[in-house]
Amino acid sequence: MVNKIKSYGKIDEIDRNGEIFLPIGHYTLINCKNKPNNTNPKISIYGLGSCIALILFDCKNKVSGMSHILLPKAQKNKKIEYPHKYADLSVKLLVHELVKHGAMKENIKGIIIGGSKIFDLDENFMGIDNIQAIKLELAKLNINILKEHVGGKEGRAVIFDTKNFTVLVKLTSETSFTRLQ
Amino acid sequence: MVKNKQIKDLKLTPEQIDVLKEFGNIGSGNAITALSDLLNDTVNVSLTALNLCAFWKIPDLFEDPNIEVFGIYTEILDNPDLSIIQFFTKESIINLINILNEFNNSNSSEIKNIRDLNEFSYSIISEIGNLLAGHYASALADLLSIKLVPSVPKVALDNLTAMLNGVIAKYSQFADYSIIIDTKLQGKAINLNGIICLLPSINILNKLFKIVNLKFNLNL
């Protein structure tokens, strides 16, 4: 099933500061194995509300990927142009892509960030749904969640360093980034 | 309600774009007149802009998508295909609250920083949001002869893009495109900067165009 869906929405553009900005519904993949250290870009999202940043990486083979997920579940039997918009498809596709680029499935670890509920609406549970959907999909594929920074009522900014696999997170009310432990 | 269909391609004729812009103009015109009456000041309005774009490009429509602003979100009750979201800069809100406190001859001290905002201030922000959204909705309702009742506004102070996330999520389960009709407003004497956005879902377009006797075949 995974093979049939084309991986639309890959971002490869690196800006002058060596950062990749990831819009909603897009993903990026960095294979650092054959590259010198200075080309390892940082992947960043600066406005993360109910969306989720899913980071998967294999530190032994130095392959990492990140996707910016908006919704928990894709409609069935529909032509999908941005599969990384949906949690269920994005997890499968990102794992598939990582393996294709030399990662060992057993080594892949996950980090999830986001899923806050900013406007206090009863029906605005999208963030919580997203978190649950991603955890469920990762559990199906036996991938451990190494770290997480989810829920709450505030937006976040995330920077993922593909060189040493560290994640910097900042809540909107905070003034500086802190390293996710 | 949102239909279980995927949008493949969406194109609007210039006529349809004009109609949608006019909805925005009439709505925001009424809302801003109300605000200007309340503040006793001229409020300048930009021309209403209509943007039809992919869901992931919406944050880029704003000048500074990662700024921390106040967001006021209103849904239309019984009509989930329409919502209104307003953004105001922090300085604007502080100004507004101070001015309204003065009118009130209230004893509350002047607010200088967003940290000084208390529950009462948030209630004022919500009320301003209610005033604007209410006038916007009632003008639209009059024009279209339909019933539009806005919900109680929800206020948040956060990153603009982060606040938009939830709204984008609401509309993009079935469509990759979104429409956003926005009007910028600016106070003349008082420092006031804001933007009012009307977000109709793609599904309500058929209905809207039918009311004004425009043919529109949505390629669903």
Side-chain angles (χ1 to χ4, degrees):
Chain A
M1 181 250 185
V2 169
N3 288 321
K4 278 180 194 165
I5 303 169
K6 272 194 193 168
S7 268
Y8 287 109
K10 189 178 179 196
I11 297 280
D12 289 318
E13 260 172 62
I14 304 173
D15 80 344
R16 258 182 271 153
N17 303 323
E19 267 187 84
I20 296 177
F21 296 103
L22 207 60
I24 305 167
H26 290 66
Y27 81 105
T28 186
L29 198 100
I30 309 293
N31 188 348
C32 297
K33 216 176 180 180
N34 308 317
K35 286 179 191 167
N37 282 342
N38 56 7
T39 54
N40 294 354
K42 288 178 175 150
I43 314 170
S44 54
I45 300 173
Y46 286 107
L48 205 59
S50 62
C51 286
I52 298 207
L54 167 71
I55 301 166
L56 294 176
F57 61 91
D58 173 351
C59 35
K60 276 182 194 156
N61 293 305
K62 297 213 178 296
V63 187
S64 47
M66 177 155 151
S67 68
H68 190 167
I69 296 163
L70 179 67
L71 292 157
K73 231 176 148 141
Q75 280 323 97
K76 277 177 186 160
N77 306 323
K78 294 278 178 283
K79 197 187 151 205
I80 288 160
E81 207 173 330
Y82 298 95
H84 287 273
K85 191 160 108 173
Y86 307 102
D88 51 348
L89 294 178
S90 184
V91 171
K92 281 178 204 155
L93 282 168
L94 206 56
V95 172
H96 179 79
E97 286 274 310
L98 283 174
V99 172
K100 214 166 85 182
H101 282 83
M104 293 287 285
K105 211 188 156 200
E106 300 77 39
N107 292 339
I108 297 176
K109 299 265 171 12
I111 298 174
I112 53 175
I113 297 140
S116 53
K117 185 183 169 191
I118 293 180
F119 289 110
D120 197 16
L121 288 166
D122 294 338
E123 62 267 52
N124 200 354
F125 282 122
M126 212 59 92
I128 296 157
D129 287 348
N130 280 342
I131 299 165
Q132 281 172 348
I134 291 175
K135 284 188 175 170
L136 187 78
E137 289 298 323
L138 287 174
K140 273 188 204 164
L141 297 167
N142 281 327
I143 291 168
N144 286 332
I145 298 168
L146 206 62
K147 296 162 192 171
E148 61 172 56
H149 196 286
V150 292
K153 282 187 168 181
E154 255 182 272
R156 292 174 175 84
V158 188
I159 301 174
F160 174 57
D161 193 337
T162 56
K163 188 176 164 188
N164 43 21
F165 309 106
T166 51
V167 179
L168 298 174
V169 182
K170 182 181 96 68
L171 289 170
T172 311
S173 61
E174 291 171 346
T175 44
S176 61
F177 282 88
T178 45
R179 199 173 144 175
L180 188 61
Q181 295 298 328
Chain B
M1 269 306 286
V2 191
K3 277 176 211 140
N4 186 4
K5 275 174 183 170
Q6 182 87 23
I7 284 158
K8 284 172 196 124
D9 197 13
L10 184 70
K11 278 189 187 108
L12 295 175
T13 64
E15 211 179 7
Q16 287 159 347
I17 290 174
D18 278 349
V19 164
L20 285 177
K21 270 190 190 171
E22 205 47 45
F23 289 160
N25 265 330
I26 290 165
S28 59
N30 272 270
I32 287 157
T33 310
L35 183 68
S36 140
D37 281 352
L38 178 76
L39 299 172
N40 246 333
D41 182 32
T42 316
V43 180
N44 293 331
V45 198
S46 75
L47 268 181
T48 298
L50 176 126
N51 290 291
L52 169 68
C53 65
F55 65 98
W56 55 275
K57 280 185 186 153
I58 294 178
D60 297 339
L61 298 174
F62 296 86
E63 261 168 49
D64 196 350
N66 289 313
I67 195 173
E68 198 183 350
V69 289
F70 278 95
I72 308 168
Y73 178 65
T74 333
E75 280 181 330
I76 304 293
L77 299 173
D78 309 323
N79 205 339
D81 289 326
L82 275 175
S83 41
I84 297 167
I85 189 162
Q86 306 159 41
F87 296 112
F88 288 98
T89 57
K90 286 186 271 190
E91 299 77 36
S92 305
I93 290 292
I94 291 170
N95 264 326
L96 272 176
I97 290 171
N98 283 332
I99 288 164
L100 293 174
N101 272 339
E102 248 172 62
F103 285 163
N104 232 356
N105 286 329
S106 87
N107 298 321
S108 39
S109 52
E110 198 192 329
I111 288 163
K112 287 177 183 132
N113 197 294
I114 43 165
R115 280 190 216 98
D116 301 336
L117 295 178
N118 50 24
E119 216 166 289
F120 183 65
S121 328
Y122 271 93
S123 159
I124 295 178
I125 303 168
S126 176
E127 210 45 63
I128 295 164
N130 203 12
L131 174 94
L132 288 169
H135 275 83
Y136 202 123
S138 75
L140 262 186
D142 279 353
L143 179 74
L144 300 168
S145 322
I146 49 175
K147 197 180 161 194
L148 298 173
V149 183
S151 69
V152 177
K154 298 288 175 190
V155 182
L157 172 64
D158 215 303
N159 182 303
L160 198 151
T161 312
M163 284 193 276
L164 276 172
N165 273 187
V167 190
I168 297 172
K170 189 181 152 200
Y171 286 151
S172 53
Q173 175 81 54
F174 307 107
D176 285 335
Y177 290 90
S178 286
I179 290 177
I180 175 162
I181 302 165
D182 61 76
T183 316
K184 282 182 199 134
L185 60 101
Q186 208 166 29
K188 204 172 182 188
I190 53 168
N191 178 8
L192 182 72
N193 264 305
I195 186 162
I196 307 181
C197 311
L198 174 74
L199 289 121
S201 87
I202 304 280
N203 299 304
I204 205 178
L205 289 184
N206 273 330
K207 220 170 164 184
L208 291 183
F209 288 136
K210 204 179 167 191
I211 294 169
V212 291
N213 267 331
L214 258 187
K215 270 185 193 155
F216 179 63
N217 285 323
L218 190 51
N219 183 18
L220 280 172

